[in-house]
């Protein structure tokens, strides 16, 4: 369904510079866009692509005021892009709102209004499934767990017993929430499995991507707070606490009892050691290994992670270490020669 | 069910210092504990919290002999904590001991006494499921596989054909055991898939956490030995051999044909290259990349991993590399000046 | 079924040096082999094992012309080994070619000839399942997806809606293809979930190992090209493009919009940052973190990754940094002494 540029601007709260009545078919990236589509520039690096793109219109920030192309000007072009994709292109899934007869529903399970339960779902005793929850095929909900309203669990996701999942949470396929984590007490060369009697709490509006595992607490709780987004194949160990609106990119791992503040961004493949505290608003570059707690509002990088500006300088030197080593050897020789000369005198 | 401090001490083989009849409701961590609960100090770093905790009693090692609080004194407080959690707080799961009619059970499958097979389990031909095994919903057991007594497989775990699983093994959700690993023979710019005709053997008392993958051998076997504990999202490639009572923390990876000794501890996100040997009792710090075989009984860290004490010193220098580079530059200049002066004379 | 050495040579196109009629029972590794078996030497490092192995015959390259043992001489011994394992030892799975009545098949689904659909499979509306596809128990195929001929999906693999899978593709258990990736637009301290309206295309002859996740594109497509092999627990983010016959070893991760050329080899646990381009035929060593685009035909290592020869030299220096620091300190002192002496004169 085509929309005019004006309709799109109104939808996102921006203003049009140029032909308001231009018909837009959809959104494409700046490189791929063809005639009839709108694209966006959310990063100053790409401003030079503004005139070259084949898109018929471009969403830009107020720093760009004119172009040969019609513009949709708005403070946050990336957010506007997201909202326009949602508005024009996203085919919202339709759920049946029914319960498949093959689903196994345990004793004393509470089912809210409008829940959709597909084939081969298992819900164990005493679980609470709130209104409009969607449980896809193969999903497992353990005993005593609570799934908040409008939560969507994708195929084969597993929620162990006693887990609490908030409203509008999205759990992607094969993610595992609430399994017993790494708790083993050494016992004369063997290990005693420490029963993990705590739980996991996932607050409202969290997204958990596929194959991510979040372990239950040994005692107490593991908690992922409101609005946090957790990438694929991430591991969050027992007793961690992840702050509100924090992003954890794919394949990162938090060891036991790590505490991460709010609005933190953790890049991909980052490792955070146990019992550390990461302050609010920190940003940790990809592939970093965090060995010490990090103060709030900083940007960090490396293994062990240090302030990013410092680490970048270190990386620059590391690449020249062989030359530096040679320089030091040369200097040593020259000093020896100088020493000899002076002694000769 | 409350217990007296004396009952707890008797259960774990420790002794009480203080009021033996104190009633204990459960175990909590030293920071969270409230009145009526017992906590533990397993690390000397936390001794200073002994008097400050709100717990009513504390499990301590014999190095602490008195306190204003009642104490449970024992050689291994962490193990005692684990046993008391087990004794007081762990609600052992009750399994039905029945076979759900929706389970698919192939030809010539042997089922032991007391097995529990939940909905939507698939057991292929000729598999052997020994006494008291628990197969949770969505579990798949391939042809010719053997599952040892009292093993528990959590929802959606997958065991490929020909795999041998020992007694009391725990396999968590979405773990995959016995899939064909990375075996591709270059063939004029393409790859020929090498059929992986070996198997996986998981010995008794092993625990495998969620989303971990253990590949079958190309030829012969991949083996995880008795009592080893394997964290979440770990990869163990074809033909690896993991020693008894070895711990592999989450997200670590062993490339093909790596051999890891017994009682080794591999931290999180460690990578071990193919065909290496890691000696008994080694400890490898998190985020390390192991590029060479490591002698027994050592502690190692870094990429490439070297003895931990040396690596820590290297890390300390790395952080000062930019200054060091400047120093070298300065020295060079001063030497040039000295050389000039000497030549002038 | 035993074969003569001549039969094996004929099967792979090699020639026999020695007794052509020798009966061979199967293939074993050079260390494990026993009488009656054939082994192979594909790496010059192992030539010294030729006479010591207990194997009755050895597959070798033309650089070895004689031995006390019968030889099967061929240009690519590793490929010959793979083909002989396939010929003699691989028990090809037999699929039923039937559709289990418990499978849920949506509206307007097209099913080809000879498809095998096991228990508890879900196929959503409008999906196309081409000839001879095998869908194992617990597999989920989303709406509008297409699965190419002879593709095999192992238990509990999940394919989200709109995904296109090529011919002869193998997807191992618990892999997840086409889920919504990490797309979140900052919105006043919170995040707006960007609907991911693109798709994933997996071309012919690709293998995807267990617990690997490949995200759909935000707009457009994520593509894994013909013949690529993707290890376990790998993450391929939205809008990535993986070239033909490229290998990605386990636990590696490609951030959004990364482009990887053809015939690239990416070692285990490698991280590649977003929007980078990796040229054709590159090789990237395990545990590397790639922070910049890499020119074609190079070998790279380290974090950040640089040419491997240079990185190896850097690693060599890193291990000696503490001594080097001491040397620099010593030199500084000696220079100060020299300067003093010269000033005294």
């Amino acid at each position: 369904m085509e929309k005019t540029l004006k309709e799109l601007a109104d939808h996102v709260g921006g203003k049009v510079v140029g032909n308001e009545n231009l018909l837009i078919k959809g959104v494409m990236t700046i490189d791929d866009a063809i005639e009839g589509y709108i694209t966006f520039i959310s990063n100053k690096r790409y401003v030079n692509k503004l005139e070259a793109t084949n898109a018929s219109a471009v969403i830009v920030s107020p720093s760009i005021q004119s172009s040969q192309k019609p513009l949709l000007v708005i403070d946050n072009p990336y957010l506007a892009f997201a909202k326009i994709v949602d508005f024009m292109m996203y085919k919202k899934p339709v759920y049946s709102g029914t319960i498949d007869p093959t689903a196994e529903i345990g004793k004393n399970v509470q089912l809210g209004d409008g829940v959709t339960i597909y084939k081969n779902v298992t819900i164990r005793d005493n679980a609470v499934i709130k209104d409009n929850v969607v449980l896809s095929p193969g999903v497992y909900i353990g005993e005593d767990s609570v799934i908040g309203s409008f939560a969507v669990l994708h195929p084969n996701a597993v929620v162990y017993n006693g887990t609490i999942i908030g409203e509008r949470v999205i759990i992607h396929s094969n993610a595992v929430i609430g399994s017993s984590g790494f708790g083993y007490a050494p016992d004369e060369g063997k290990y005693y499995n420490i029963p993990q009697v705590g739980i996991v709490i996932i607050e409202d509006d969290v997204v958990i991507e596929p194959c991510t595992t979040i372990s239950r607490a040994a005692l107490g709780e593991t908690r992922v707070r409101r609005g946090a987004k957790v990438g694929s194949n991430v591991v969050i160990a027992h007793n961690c606490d992840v702050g509100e609106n924090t992003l954890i990119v794919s394949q990162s791992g938090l060891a036991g009892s790590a505490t991460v503040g709010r609005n933190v961004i953790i890049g991909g493949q980052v490792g955070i050691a146990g019992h550390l505290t990461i302050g609010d608003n920190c940003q940790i570059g990809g592939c970093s290994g965090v060995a010490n707690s990090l103060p709030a509002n900083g940007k960090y990088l490396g293994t062990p992670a240090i302030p990013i500006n410092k680490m970048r300088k270190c990386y620059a030197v590391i690449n020249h270490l062989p030359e530096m080593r040679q320089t030091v050897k040369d200097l040593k020789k020259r000093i020896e020669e100088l020493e000899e000369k002076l002694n000769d005198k």
Side-chain angles (χ1 to χ4, degrees), chain A residues 234-268:
Chain A
V234 167
V235 172
I236 298 179
H238 58 86
N239 295 86
C240 283
D241 186 326
V242 174
E244 286 186 21
N245 298 310
T246 276
L247 298 187
I248 302 179
V249 180
S250 298
Q251 295 179 317
S252 287
L254 277 57
S257 301
T259 298
V260 176
R262 60 168 65 199
N263 288 96
V264 170
I265 298 177
I266 298 176

mmCIF file of all heavy atoms in Angstrom, chain A residues 234-268:
data_model
loop_
_atom_site.group_PDB
_atom_site.id
_atom_site.type_symbol
_atom_site.label_atom_id
_atom_site.label_comp_id
_atom_site.label_asym_id
_atom_site.label_seq_id
_atom_site.Cartn_x
_atom_site.Cartn_y
_atom_site.Cartn_z
ATOM 1 N N VAL A 234 24.085 -15.817 23.459
ATOM 2 C CA VAL A 234 24.635 -15.151 24.646
ATOM 3 C C VAL A 234 24.470 -16.091 25.838
ATOM 4 O O VAL A 234 23.535 -16.899 25.875
ATOM 5 C CB VAL A 234 23.892 -13.818 24.899
ATOM 6 C CG1 VAL A 234 24.188 -13.249 26.286
ATOM 7 C CG2 VAL A 234 24.243 -12.807 23.811
ATOM 8 N N VAL A 235 25.388 -16.009 26.795
ATOM 9 C CA VAL A 235 25.235 -16.749 28.053
ATOM 10 C C VAL A 235 25.175 -15.752 29.204
ATOM 11 O O VAL A 235 26.075 -14.918 29.351
ATOM 12 C CB VAL A 235 26.413 -17.724 28.266
ATOM 13 C CG1 VAL A 235 26.358 -18.334 29.665
ATOM 14 C CG2 VAL A 235 26.380 -18.821 27.215
ATOM 15 N N ILE A 236 24.111 -15.835 29.989
ATOM 16 C CA ILE A 236 24.004 -15.034 31.217
ATOM 17 C C ILE A 236 23.938 -16.030 32.367
ATOM 18 O O ILE A 236 22.999 -16.814 32.472
ATOM 19 C CB ILE A 236 22.759 -14.122 31.174
ATOM 20 C CG1 ILE A 236 22.885 -13.131 30.001
ATOM 21 C CG2 ILE A 236 22.579 -13.401 32.500
ATOM 22 C CD1 ILE A 236 21.703 -12.193 29.840
ATOM 23 N N ALA A 237 24.976 -16.006 33.196
ATOM 24 C CA ALA A 237 25.126 -17.044 34.217
ATOM 25 C C ALA A 237 24.282 -16.732 35.453
ATOM 26 O O ALA A 237 23.638 -15.683 35.543
ATOM 27 C CB ALA A 237 26.590 -17.197 34.583
ATOM 28 N N HIS A 238 24.322 -17.630 36.391
ATOM 29 C CA HIS A 238 23.511 -17.537 37.615
ATOM 30 C C HIS A 238 23.782 -16.238 38.373
ATOM 31 O O HIS A 238 24.912 -15.780 38.468
ATOM 32 C CB HIS A 238 23.788 -18.733 38.520
ATOM 33 C CG HIS A 238 25.218 -18.871 38.914
ATOM 34 N ND1 HIS A 238 25.747 -18.206 39.988
ATOM 35 C CD2 HIS A 238 26.237 -19.559 38.355
ATOM 36 C CE1 HIS A 238 27.020 -18.506 40.094
ATOM 37 N NE2 HIS A 238 27.357 -19.314 39.112
ATOM 38 N N ASN A 239 22.697 -15.664 38.876
ATOM 39 C CA ASN A 239 22.761 -14.497 39.759
ATOM 40 C C ASN A 239 23.245 -13.217 39.087
ATOM 41 O O ASN A 239 23.580 -12.249 39.764
ATOM 42 C CB ASN A 239 23.643 -14.790 40.995
ATOM 43 C CG ASN A 239 23.046 -15.869 41.880
ATOM 44 O OD1 ASN A 239 23.259 -17.053 41.653
ATOM 45 N ND2 ASN A 239 22.255 -15.468 42.846
ATOM 46 N N CYS A 240 23.264 -13.167 37.761
ATOM 47 C CA CYS A 240 23.577 -11.907 37.093
ATOM 48 C C CYS A 240 22.394 -10.956 37.204
ATOM 49 O O CYS A 240 21.244 -11.368 37.400
ATOM 50 C CB CYS A 240 23.887 -12.133 35.610
ATOM 51 S SG CYS A 240 25.529 -12.807 35.333
ATOM 52 N N ASP A 241 22.689 -9.673 37.037
ATOM 53 C CA ASP A 241 21.652 -8.641 37.045
ATOM 54 C C ASP A 241 21.964 -7.705 35.871
ATOM 55 O O ASP A 241 22.983 -7.021 35.864
ATOM 56 C CB ASP A 241 21.711 -7.882 38.375
ATOM 57 C CG ASP A 241 20.581 -6.875 38.528
ATOM 58 O OD1 ASP A 241 20.151 -6.275 37.515
ATOM 59 O OD2 ASP A 241 20.140 -6.663 39.667
ATOM 60 N N VAL A 242 21.093 -7.724 34.868
ATOM 61 C CA VAL A 242 21.291 -6.904 33.673
ATOM 62 C C VAL A 242 20.331 -5.729 33.731
ATOM 63 O O VAL A 242 19.121 -5.912 33.887
ATOM 64 C CB VAL A 242 21.036 -7.738 32.392
ATOM 65 C CG1 VAL A 242 21.100 -6.864 31.147
ATOM 66 C CG2 VAL A 242 22.042 -8.886 32.304
ATOM 67 N N GLY A 243 20.864 -4.507 33.590
ATOM 68 C CA GLY A 243 20.088 -3.291 33.824
ATOM 69 C C GLY A 243 19.079 -2.960 32.726
ATOM 70 O O GLY A 243 19.116 -3.520 31.628
ATOM 71 N N GLU A 244 18.218 -2.007 33.013
ATOM 72 C CA GLU A 244 17.173 -1.594 32.073
ATOM 73 C C GLU A 244 17.772 -1.058 30.779
ATOM 74 O O GLU A 244 18.751 -0.306 30.794
ATOM 75 C CB GLU A 244 16.315 -0.487 32.699
ATOM 76 C CG GLU A 244 15.382 -1.022 33.750
ATOM 77 C CD GLU A 244 14.427 0.049 34.278
ATOM 78 O OE1 GLU A 244 14.221 1.065 33.585
ATOM 79 O OE2 GLU A 244 13.910 -0.152 35.394
ATOM 80 N N ASN A 245 17.132 -1.416 29.664
ATOM 81 C CA ASN A 245 17.504 -0.896 28.354
ATOM 82 C C ASN A 245 18.981 -1.099 28.026
ATOM 83 O O ASN A 245 19.595 -0.301 27.330
ATOM 84 C CB ASN A 245 17.147 0.590 28.259
ATOM 85 C CG ASN A 245 15.649 0.795 28.398
ATOM 86 O OD1 ASN A 245 14.874 0.131 27.725
ATOM 87 N ND2 ASN A 245 15.237 1.653 29.311
ATOM 88 N N THR A 246 19.526 -2.171 28.528
ATOM 89 C CA THR A 246 20.904 -2.523 28.184
ATOM 90 C C THR A 246 20.892 -3.464 26.989
ATOM 91 O O THR A 246 20.005 -4.298 26.864
ATOM 92 C CB THR A 246 21.590 -3.133 29.423
ATOM 93 O OG1 THR A 246 22.066 -2.042 30.222
ATOM 94 C CG2 THR A 246 22.765 -4.040 29.063
ATOM 95 N N LEU A 247 21.860 -3.269 26.087
ATOM 96 C CA LEU A 247 21.998 -4.136 24.907
ATOM 97 C C LEU A 247 23.187 -5.075 25.102
ATOM 98 O O LEU A 247 24.285 -4.619 25.412
ATOM 99 C CB LEU A 247 22.280 -3.323 23.649
ATOM 100 C CG LEU A 247 21.271 -2.315 23.141
ATOM 101 C CD1 LEU A 247 21.738 -1.770 21.786
ATOM 102 C CD2 LEU A 247 19.899 -2.940 22.994
ATOM 103 N N ILE A 248 22.966 -6.365 24.878
ATOM 104 C CA ILE A 248 24.065 -7.335 24.905
ATOM 105 C C ILE A 248 24.086 -8.009 23.543
ATOM 106 O O ILE A 248 23.182 -8.756 23.187
ATOM 107 C CB ILE A 248 23.857 -8.385 26.015
ATOM 108 C CG1 ILE A 248 23.730 -7.684 27.379
ATOM 109 C CG2 ILE A 248 25.008 -9.381 26.031
ATOM 110 C CD1 ILE A 248 23.488 -8.642 28.532
ATOM 111 N N VAL A 249 25.127 -7.716 22.777
ATOM 112 C CA VAL A 249 25.192 -8.238 21.410
ATOM 113 C C VAL A 249 25.590 -9.729 21.438
ATOM 114 O O VAL A 249 26.078 -10.244 22.445
ATOM 115 C CB VAL A 249 26.134 -7.368 20.548
ATOM 116 C CG1 VAL A 249 26.232 -7.887 19.118
ATOM 117 C CG2 VAL A 249 25.630 -5.921 20.510
ATOM 118 N N SER A 250 25.396 -10.389 20.323
ATOM 119 C CA SER A 250 25.532 -11.847 20.217
ATOM 120 C C SER A 250 26.858 -12.389 20.754
ATOM 121 O O SER A 250 27.900 -11.774 20.623
ATOM 122 C CB SER A 250 25.412 -12.252 18.748
ATOM 123 O OG SER A 250 24.140 -11.908 18.270
ATOM 124 N N GLN A 251 26.763 -13.586 21.315
ATOM 125 C CA GLN A 251 27.912 -14.390 21.738
ATOM 126 C C GLN A 251 28.668 -13.804 22.917
ATOM 127 O O GLN A 251 29.732 -14.322 23.288
ATOM 128 C CB GLN A 251 28.871 -14.651 20.571
ATOM 129 C CG GLN A 251 28.239 -15.503 19.476
ATOM 130 C CD GLN A 251 29.153 -15.753 18.315
ATOM 131 O OE1 GLN A 251 29.835 -14.840 17.871
ATOM 132 N NE2 GLN A 251 29.147 -16.964 17.780
ATOM 133 N N SER A 252 28.144 -12.751 23.540
ATOM 134 C CA SER A 252 28.773 -12.274 24.767
ATOM 135 C C SER A 252 28.389 -13.178 25.922
ATOM 136 O O SER A 252 27.391 -13.898 25.861
ATOM 137 C CB SER A 252 28.359 -10.827 25.050
ATOM 138 O OG SER A 252 29.017 -9.978 24.144
ATOM 139 N N GLY A 253 29.220 -13.139 26.975
ATOM 140 C CA GLY A 253 28.950 -13.980 28.129
ATOM 141 C C GLY A 253 29.180 -13.236 29.425
ATOM 142 O O GLY A 253 30.176 -12.527 29.569
ATOM 143 N N LEU A 254 28.235 -13.389 30.351
ATOM 144 C CA LEU A 254 28.380 -12.798 31.685
ATOM 145 C C LEU A 254 28.559 -13.935 32.681
ATOM 146 O O LEU A 254 27.675 -14.781 32.828
ATOM 147 C CB LEU A 254 27.108 -12.018 32.072
ATOM 148 C CG LEU A 254 26.961 -10.583 31.558
ATOM 149 C CD1 LEU A 254 27.042 -10.494 30.061
ATOM 150 C CD2 LEU A 254 25.665 -9.986 32.073
ATOM 151 N N ALA A 255 29.693 -13.954 33.369
ATOM 152 C CA ALA A 255 29.916 -15.003 34.366
ATOM 153 C C ALA A 255 29.080 -14.718 35.622
ATOM 154 O O ALA A 255 28.475 -13.656 35.755
ATOM 155 C CB ALA A 255 31.398 -15.092 34.697
ATOM 156 N N GLY A 256 29.069 -15.662 36.518
ATOM 157 C CA GLY A 256 28.165 -15.633 37.665
ATOM 158 C C GLY A 256 28.238 -14.353 38.479
ATOM 159 O O GLY A 256 29.307 -13.818 38.741
ATOM 160 N N SER A 257 27.061 -13.845 38.859
ATOM 161 C CA SER A 257 26.938 -12.706 39.754
ATOM 162 C C SER A 257 27.491 -11.407 39.181
ATOM 163 O O SER A 257 27.770 -10.475 39.925
ATOM 164 C CB SER A 257 27.611 -12.988 41.112
ATOM 165 O OG SER A 257 27.023 -14.113 41.719
ATOM 166 N N ALA A 258 27.634 -11.316 37.871
ATOM 167 C CA ALA A 258 28.002 -10.031 37.269
ATOM 168 C C ALA A 258 26.790 -9.103 37.294
ATOM 169 O O ALA A 258 25.660 -9.537 37.099
ATOM 170 C CB ALA A 258 28.472 -10.228 35.825
ATOM 171 N N THR A 259 27.049 -7.825 37.545
ATOM 172 C CA THR A 259 25.987 -6.819 37.574
ATOM 173 C C THR A 259 26.275 -5.787 36.491
ATOM 174 O O THR A 259 27.341 -5.178 36.483
ATOM 175 C CB THR A 259 25.946 -6.128 38.945
ATOM 176 O OG1 THR A 259 25.659 -7.116 39.932
ATOM 177 C CG2 THR A 259 24.852 -5.059 38.997
ATOM 178 N N VAL A 260 25.322 -5.621 35.597
ATOM 179 C CA VAL A 260 25.485 -4.669 34.500
ATOM 180 C C VAL A 260 24.431 -3.583 34.665
ATOM 181 O O VAL A 260 23.251 -3.882 34.857
ATOM 182 C CB VAL A 260 25.315 -5.380 33.139
ATOM 183 C CG1 VAL A 260 25.385 -4.388 31.990
ATOM 184 C CG2 VAL A 260 26.362 -6.468 32.972
ATOM 185 N N GLY A 261 24.861 -2.323 34.581
ATOM 186 C CA GLY A 261 23.963 -1.195 34.810
ATOM 187 C C GLY A 261 22.955 -0.995 33.688
ATOM 188 O O GLY A 261 22.816 -1.825 32.789
ATOM 189 N N ARG A 262 22.305 0.156 33.703
ATOM 190 C CA ARG A 262 21.280 0.439 32.697
ATOM 191 C C ARG A 262 21.885 1.176 31.503
ATOM 192 O O ARG A 262 22.892 1.857 31.616
ATOM 193 C CB ARG A 262 20.153 1.255 33.321
ATOM 194 C CG ARG A 262 20.597 2.587 33.874
ATOM 195 C CD ARG A 262 19.376 3.455 34.197
ATOM 196 N NE ARG A 262 18.597 2.847 35.288
ATOM 197 C CZ ARG A 262 17.326 3.154 35.539
ATOM 198 N NH1 ARG A 262 16.708 4.026 34.770
ATOM 199 N NH2 ARG A 262 16.692 2.599 36.551
ATOM 200 N N ASN A 263 21.220 1.006 30.341
ATOM 201 C CA ASN A 263 21.658 1.672 29.114
ATOM 202 C C ASN A 263 23.115 1.388 28.759
ATOM 203 O O ASN A 263 23.799 2.213 28.153
ATOM 204 C CB ASN A 263 21.411 3.182 29.216
ATOM 205 C CG ASN A 263 19.922 3.493 29.113
ATOM 206 O OD1 ASN A 263 19.248 3.637 30.136
ATOM 207 N ND2 ASN A 263 19.389 3.528 27.907
ATOM 208 N N VAL A 264 23.568 0.225 29.149
ATOM 209 C CA VAL A 264 24.907 -0.224 28.763
ATOM 210 C C VAL A 264 24.818 -0.852 27.369
ATOM 211 O O VAL A 264 23.773 -1.386 26.997
ATOM 212 C CB VAL A 264 25.427 -1.256 29.789
ATOM 213 C CG1 VAL A 264 26.711 -1.928 29.314
ATOM 214 C CG2 VAL A 264 25.623 -0.584 31.149
ATOM 215 N N ILE A 265 25.891 -0.734 26.580
ATOM 216 C CA ILE A 265 25.973 -1.457 25.308
ATOM 217 C C ILE A 265 27.187 -2.372 25.364
ATOM 218 O O ILE A 265 28.321 -1.910 25.488
ATOM 219 C CB ILE A 265 26.086 -0.495 24.108
ATOM 220 C CG1 ILE A 265 24.834 0.399 24.031
ATOM 221 C CG2 ILE A 265 26.262 -1.270 22.803
ATOM 222 C CD1 ILE A 265 24.883 1.442 22.916
ATOM 223 N N ILE A 266 26.935 -3.679 25.301
ATOM 224 C CA ILE A 266 28.002 -4.677 25.322
ATOM 225 C C ILE A 266 28.108 -5.255 23.911
ATOM 226 O O ILE A 266 27.161 -5.841 23.402
ATOM 227 C CB ILE A 266 27.689 -5.788 26.342
ATOM 228 C CG1 ILE A 266 27.607 -5.192 27.757
ATOM 229 C CG2 ILE A 266 28.735 -6.901 26.287
ATOM 230 C CD1 ILE A 266 27.217 -6.184 28.833
ATOM 231 N N GLY A 267 29.262 -5.046 23.258
ATOM 232 C CA GLY A 267 29.459 -5.523 21.891
ATOM 233 C C GLY A 267 29.463 -7.042 21.799
ATOM 234 O O GLY A 267 29.327 -7.741 22.811
ATOM 235 N N GLY A 268 29.660 -7.560 20.599
ATOM 236 C CA GLY A 268 29.638 -9.007 20.389
ATOM 237 C C GLY A 268 30.869 -9.690 20.957
ATOM 238 O O GLY A 268 31.952 -9.122 21.011
#
